[in-house]
Amino acid sequence: MEEMQSSEAAAAEPLSMVIPISKTRLAPYRTVIIVRLIILGLFFHYRVTNPVDSAFGLWLTSIICEIWFAFSWVLDQFPKWSPVNREAFIDRLSLRYERPGEPSQLAAVDFFVSTVDPLKEPPLITANTVLSILAVDYPVDKVSCYVSDDGAAMLSFESLVETADFARKWVPFCKKFSIEPRAPEFYFSQKIDYLKDKVQPSFVKERRAMKREYEEFKVRVNALVAKAQKTPDEGWTMQDGTSWPGNNSRDHPGMIQVFLGHSGAHDIEGNELPRLVYVSREKRPGYQHHKKAGAENALVRVSAVLTNAPFILNLDCDHYVNNSKAVREAMCFLMDPVVGRDLCYVQFPQRFDGIDRSDRYANRNTVFFDVNMKGLDGIQGPMYVGTGCVFNRQALYGYSPPSMPKLPKSSSCCCCPSKKQTKDVSELYRDAKREELDAAIFNLREIDNYDEYERSMLISQMSFEKTFGLSTVFIESTLMENGGLPESADPSMLIKEAIHVISCGYEEKTAWGKEIGWIYGSVTEDILTGFKMQCRGWRSVYCMPLRPAFKGSAPINLSDRLHQVLRWALGSVEIFFSRHCPLWYGFAGGRLKWLQRLAYINTIVYPFTSLPLVAYCTLPAICLLTGKFIIPTLSNLASALFLGLFLSIIVTSVLELRWSGVTIEALWRNEQFWVIGGVSAHLFAVFQGFLKMLAGVDTNFTVTAKAADDTEFGDLYIIKWTTLLIPPTTLIIINMVGVVAGFSDALNGGYESWGPLFGKVFFAFWVIFHLYPFLKGLMGRQNRTPTIVILWSVLLASVFSLVWVKINPFISRPDSASISQTCISIDC
């Protein structure tokens, strides 16, 4: 009896807890930030009031760059003012929602996995992601996995058939022995003692048998891949002899196939498996399909019609479930009656396999995921980063949070609106429309009491079709806050309705991609989607379990990494030029907190830092080649300011490492790649964004691969030609040329020349050290570099140096009269 009471008491306790950073760590950190801000103000006062007349152009350029860098620092630093940690209690979750002898009360979850081209995204990787989902530690009747094949490839479909068959053996093995991770490729490749904590005597025998089964599965999938390398002239044909509907990937009908599940095949032990659904939305010429965001929205509608789980977890096809209890961790927040009420999503950090030990190109993004995101979690929650995120389905439908108060009505008359009302009229209108939808939910609580005709009329009258599209079944599902299918749903008609909601014309004249679902308008649809939700007043939560929830793969060679960063930066530039720019969007109602807005502004302006960064990295070479400098002779006060600024930068970083747990190596790699990406990918993104906005020109930077070494991290040494390599290579060369020229001048100028040289050389080495990983990656393991990169870079550096020496605009040019006077005064 006492044991039962104690378990009930434990179940009533909170499912999660906020763990604030210790004041002994946070107070000094905040103090140093304020001190650094004061020193910055004094520093700029000195810099502006002490111009360098002999090099005014260089001085002015440096001042503009430094002011922009300070602005960027403020945007990045202050959202980290109140970082927090969180802890989830999954044992309490089980006590509350999984009582012995009763059906599980845990909420259902729909998993989304997106893939496009199986030749670029290997089917075996996608299969491992799907298998890890089907084997999660969660009630099988509460899990459904939807795989979006946006390329309509028969290879993807056939590999999913093989995956579903192998899952019948793999899932019971995982659950019987509680193995981690539950993606077979990564489980069998672990270099650990797999007998640890395994007490069943049959484990070794069954593990060997399962490994053989998996190797045979790999052979079958790889055979499908090999067959798909060359498409037959007549197109692909299915086993029954009919033509594959997706032979034309840009013109094909919608396709849905349901595997496993309650009515499908069970595992080899006779137990039910989670439902697995293959989805390929309809594609027709002349329609805008919106890439990944459009595919995700199609999955939202299909899943609402077929299963309608109240929560959605989306993963990239190369991100597998590394922690089988990750869903339970998320449910500790989403199902908590206090915390989960206004929660739009739970974001997990991204973790990666296959990255070199030194993380040369900052692929892990440790500073962002372990510092910035913790800071945002203390404000209004982390940003959505595109994968590893569990959504509240109602938040995706554009509704406001349940506890959000109504917007106050304006006291001004309609004929004489106030200036604020005039300014934000569009925002107020959108909020009013959302309130209409919220009210309609309450008006339609008794919708099941109407017949089919009355139900259709009522839904139409409420203008739901203008928002969600022409599907009565889907609209009814949006009214069910706790998920599940309406009792009026006809199971025999659900597949037909699901095909209807993925038709290419379904979204026309609706709010899809504008106000609901994944938001269109940028290649980084994740930022936009999370931003819109938080503008409505929703919060998000950052969940960091001890065992990483999900793991993915990252491009570790230089060219691929730069192109990944280029895509992200281009998405930010697109948002900057869109109506959703955080500089002006979402002010009505004041639902987005100011520090949260600063963080979003930082995400869309950071690519523009490339312009002052390139100029600033060029200044050391110019100073060394011309003998000029951007700073006048230093006084004691100026020396103290410079020393104070450098010390404040170092102390801020040290204190940040102290509360976040990030290593100094990770911080330094992040700093280096900030410069590398800034002078290459970010720069190209800005110009591409301007071209797209002004001329409608969509420029693509293609990558062609060379051979790689077949060793561990061999991909790290792949050399690929890309125009992104030229600017940083040029900067390295001109700074090296400048250092050589500076030392040559000092040797010729005597002892007095060495003092001024120190500052210039220090400046140049700052650039070279930051670009060192780039230089190392450029040379490869055998010091090989694409010839075209060397030619272009040497050419540009040489031309720049020669032209500068020829023009030399910082040397005053005497007029002819003064020259004549000088000649007369000389006694030959």
Side-chain angles (χ1 to χ4, degrees):
M1 188 68 177
E2 291 181 2
E3 185 177 343
M4 183 180 296
Q5 289 178 347
S6 63
S7 64
E8 289 179 356
E13 292 181 5
L15 299 179
S16 64
M17 180 174 64
V18 177
I19 306 175
I21 305 297
S22 169
K23 289 184 178 180
T24 58
R25 296 188 175 188
L26 209 53
Y29 176 66
R30 291 173 173 173
T31 303
V32 171
I33 291 173
I34 299 300
V35 170
R36 182 173 171 182
L37 199 61
I38 294 170
I39 293 174
L40 265 176
L42 296 173
F43 170 80
F44 282 121
H45 178 267
Y46 167 78
R47 292 283 280 125
V48 172
T49 56
N50 291 270
V52 182
D53 296 328
S54 61
F56 187 81
L58 293 177
W59 170 82
L60 182 61
T61 301
S62 67
I63 288 291
I64 294 171
C65 294
E66 288 162 3
I67 290 174
W68 180 267
F69 295 152
F71 170 68
S72 298
W73 171 74
V74 168
L75 292 179
D76 180 68
Q77 186 67 66
F78 280 90
K80 296 183 282 190
W81 186 259
S82 304
V84 297
N85 291 312
R86 294 183 187 269
E87 184 177 357
F89 304 106
I90 58 177
D91 52 343
R92 296 178 187 174
L93 182 79
S94 295
L95 287 172
R96 185 179 298 186
Y97 295 108
E98 293 182 299
R99 297 181 182 274
E102 298 179 12
S104 173
Q105 299 300 313
L106 290 173
V109 181
D110 288 335
F111 286 77
F112 292 176
V113 178
S114 299
T115 184
V116 180
D117 186 351
L119 297 181
K120 293 181 180 178
E121 300 164 331
L124 196 60
I125 298 298
T126 304
N128 271 270
T129 299
V130 171
L131 289 167
S132 69
I133 292 171
L134 298 178
V136 292
D137 182 8
Y138 209 70
V140 293
D141 59 322
K142 307 286 186 178
V143 175
S144 299
C145 177
Y146 293 82
V147 180
S148 170
D149 175 19
D150 221 30
M154 196 169 89
L155 171 58
S156 297
F157 178 80
E158 289 183 329
S159 63
L160 202 63
V161 173
E162 292 287 351
T163 303
D165 184 57
F166 179 69
R168 297 177 60 244
K169 306 165 188 172
W170 173 251
V171 172
F173 171 76
C174 293
K175 295 188 175 182
K176 180 178 180 180
F177 298 108
S178 301
I179 67 166
E180 297 282 2
R182 299 189 177 181
E185 182 69 27
F186 302 95
Y187 170 69
F188 289 122
S189 62
Q190 289 181 114
K191 297 178 180 178
I192 60 171
D193 179 13
Y194 61 83
L195 293 177
K196 185 178 180 181
D197 301 327
K198 299 295 184 294
V199 295
Q200 296 96 325
S202 63
F203 173 68
V204 174
K205 181 180 178 181
E206 291 194 36
R207 185 184 185 276
R208 288 173 180 167
M210 184 53 62
K211 189 171 184 180
R212 280 195 304 273
E213 292 280 359
Y214 178 62
E215 293 298 330
E216 292 173 5
F217 167 72
K218 285 173 65 174
V219 169
R220 292 194 298 271
V221 173
N222 288 331
L224 293 174
V225 174
K227 186 180 76 171
Q229 296 298 316
K230 186 177 181 181
T231 306
D233 295 336
E234 66 278 6
W236 297 107
T237 304
M238 294 187 289
Q239 290 184 354
D240 61 359
T242 58
S243 179
W244 171 248
N247 276 322
N248 186 343
S249 61
R250 298 181 180 180
D251 186 3
H252 64 84
M255 294 179 281
I256 295 176
Q257 177 66 50
V258 180
F259 303 95
L260 309 177
H262 176 70
S263 58
H266 289 193
D267 67 25
I268 56 174
E269 296 179 0
N271 300 315
E272 183 181 340
L273 289 167
R275 182 178 303 196
L276 176 61
V277 184
Y278 170 87
V279 180
S280 183
R281 58 183 172 142
E282 183 184 21
K283 295 277 188 76
R284 300 296 181 194
Y287 287 89
Q288 181 63 262
H289 300 292
H290 302 290
K291 299 180 180 178
K292 180 183 176 182
E296 296 287 353
N297 284 338
L299 289 183
V300 170
R301 297 191 294 273
V302 168
S303 62
V305 170
L306 296 181
T307 49
N308 197 34
F311 302 111
I312 293 169
L313 195 161
N314 88 291
L315 291 172
D316 287 343
C317 65
D318 61 346
H319 276 68
Y320 64 90
V321 181
N322 183 64
N323 182 347
S324 63
K325 298 184 184 296
V327 182
R328 293 177 179 269
E329 296 266 355
M331 290 302 114
C332 287
F333 301 102
L334 290 164
M335 295 188 70
D336 189 297
V338 178
V339 178
R341 185 170 172 78
D342 293 338
L343 213 55
C344 55
Y345 58 81
V346 174
Q347 178 65 62
F348 291 88
Q350 290 186 21
R351 302 298 189 220
F352 301 97
D353 285 318
I355 296 176
D356 58 299
R357 297 170 195 84
S358 64
D359 192 15
R360 184 185 295 177
Y361 307 123
N363 278 286
R364 292 189 178 94
N365 283 329
T366 309
V367 173
F368 175 75
F369 286 114
D370 291 13
V371 180
N372 296 66
M373 295 286 265
K374 283 184 181 179
L376 290 176
D377 201 16
I379 309 170
Q380 199 171 338
M383 300 175 182
Y384 167 46
V385 296
T387 185
C389 186
V390 187
F391 285 97
N392 180 338
R393 188 183 283 269
Q394 290 293 309
L396 282 170
Y397 289 156
Y399 297 124
S400 299
S403 64
M404 182 57 59
K406 302 289 185 183
L407 286 173
K409 293 183 179 179
S410 175
S411 58
S412 59
C413 65
C414 58
C415 58
C416 300
S418 65
K419 292 182 180 179
K420 184 176 180 181
Q421 183 185 11
T422 303
K423 179 180 178 181
D424 295 330
V425 65
S426 62
E427 294 291 334
L428 291 171
Y429 173 77
R430 279 195 291 272
D431 279 319
K433 293 299 289 181
R434 280 196 290 268
E435 287 177 13
E436 284 182 20
L437 291 178
D438 292 340
I441 289 179
F442 297 104
N443 294 334
L444 295 175
R445 291 296 184 195
E446 303 299 323
I447 194 169
D448 287 335
N449 296 332
Y450 298 99
D451 61 28
E452 188 67 30
Y453 175 75
E454 290 173 328
R455 187 184 299 115
S456 300
M457 290 296 294
L458 186 56
I459 288 175
S460 179
Q461 288 169 6
M462 290 297 178
S463 301
F464 271 62
E465 291 179 350
K466 293 181 181 178
T467 302
F468 296 113
L470 300 172
S471 172
T472 305
V473 175
F474 174 72
I475 292 173
E476 286 185 45
S477 73
T478 67
L479 306 178
M480 306 183 70
E481 292 185 36
N482 297 320
L485 299 178
E487 293 180 4
S488 59
D490 182 1
S492 63
M493 298 297 291
L494 290 182
I495 292 294
K496 182 179 179 181
E497 192 67 22
I499 291 289
H500 167 61
V501 298
I502 60 171
S503 59
C504 56
Y506 183 85
E507 294 184 356
E508 287 193 344
K509 298 181 181 179
T510 68
W512 285 101
K514 304 181 186 74
E515 295 295 327
I516 63 176
W518 271 257
I519 305 302
Y520 305 148
S522 170
V523 293
T524 50
E525 69 290 325
D526 45 2
I527 296 176
L528 269 181
T529 303
F531 174 62
K532 291 274 285 189
M533 289 181 184
Q534 294 186 336
C535 282
R536 296 182 188 120
W538 291 94
R539 280 188 52 83
S540 58
V541 159
Y542 198 47
C543 182
M544 297 182 67
L546 291 176
R547 180 179 179 85
F550 310 101
K551 280 191 174 183
S553 57
I556 63 171
N557 72 71
L558 180 60
S559 302
D560 286 349
R561 175 68 167 136
L562 289 177
H563 275 268
Q564 181 190 56
V565 173
L566 171 63
R567 179 183 172 276
W568 295 342
L570 178 59
S572 295
V573 174
E574 288 174 339
I575 296 173
F576 181 85
F577 290 121
S578 73
R579 73 181 185 92
H580 290 118
C581 179
L583 287 168
W584 51 74
Y585 182 84
F587 280 95
R591 295 177 175 181
L592 187 70
K593 295 184 179 180
W594 278 99
L595 287 180
Q596 194 80 12
R597 186 176 294 278
L598 279 186
Y600 276 110
I601 291 173
N602 188 41
T603 64
I604 58 107
V605 302
Y606 79 87
F608 296 95
T609 304
S610 60
L611 300 173
L613 187 59
V614 169
Y616 210 68
C617 289
T618 309
L619 288 177
I622 297 175
C623 292
L624 288 164
L625 290 170
T626 61
K628 307 296 179 183
F629 200 38
I630 58 175
I631 300 172
T633 304
L634 294 179
S635 62
N636 290 336
L637 175 62
S639 299
L641 282 175
F642 276 96
L643 182 62
L645 183 61
F646 280 115
L647 285 176
S648 67
I649 292 172
I650 294 170
V651 174
T652 305
S653 300
V654 169
L655 293 176
E656 204 166 82
L657 297 179
R658 189 165 170 245
W659 66 253
S660 67
V662 173
T663 64
I664 191 168
E665 182 183 20
L667 186 69
W668 173 236
R669 290 297 187 214
N670 182 75
E671 181 75 14
Q672 286 179 311
F673 201 78
W674 174 74
V675 176
I676 294 170
V679 300
S680 56
H682 298 171
L683 182 67
F684 278 71
V686 170
F687 284 112
Q688 187 174 351
F690 274 113
L691 283 173
K692 192 171 183 179
M693 182 193 68
L694 299 175
V697 177
D698 193 4
T699 309
N700 292 314
F701 302 100
T702 56
V703 181
T704 54
K706 308 292 182 184
D709 298 313
D710 188 19
T711 58
E712 186 180 16
F713 308 123
D715 193 46
L716 179 67
Y717 306 102
I718 292 177
I719 305 298
K720 300 181 180 182
W721 156 243
T722 169
T723 49
L724 297 178
L725 301 177
I726 294 175
T729 307
T730 304
L731 286 173
I732 288 175
I733 292 174
I734 64 173
N735 276 281
M736 287 181 171
V737 169
V739 169
V740 173
F743 276 104
S744 299
D745 289 342
L747 289 171
N748 294 329
Y751 178 78
E752 294 181 355
S753 301
W754 288 96
L757 177 67
F758 174 76
K760 302 172 189 175
V761 171
F762 174 82
F763 198 9
F765 274 114
W766 179 90
V767 176
I768 294 170
F769 284 150
H770 276 79
L771 292 175
Y772 174 71
F774 172 86
L775 180 63
K776 193 174 180 181
L778 194 68
M779 301 309 293
R781 180 177 283 171
Q782 287 82 26
N783 296 332
R784 296 174 299 184
T785 303
T787 308
I788 190 68
V789 173
I790 295 294
L791 290 177
W792 270 104
S793 301
V794 171
L795 178 63
L796 289 176
S798 303
V799 169
F800 175 81
S801 303
L802 291 172
V803 170
W804 191 270
V805 170
K806 179 66 177 176
I807 298 175
N808 208 350
F810 299 109
I811 296 179
S812 58
R813 303 186 184 283
D815 55 19
S816 56
S818 61
I819 295 175
S820 302
Q821 187 65 34
T822 303
C823 293
I824 292 171
S825 64
I826 296 176
D827 186 3
C828 296

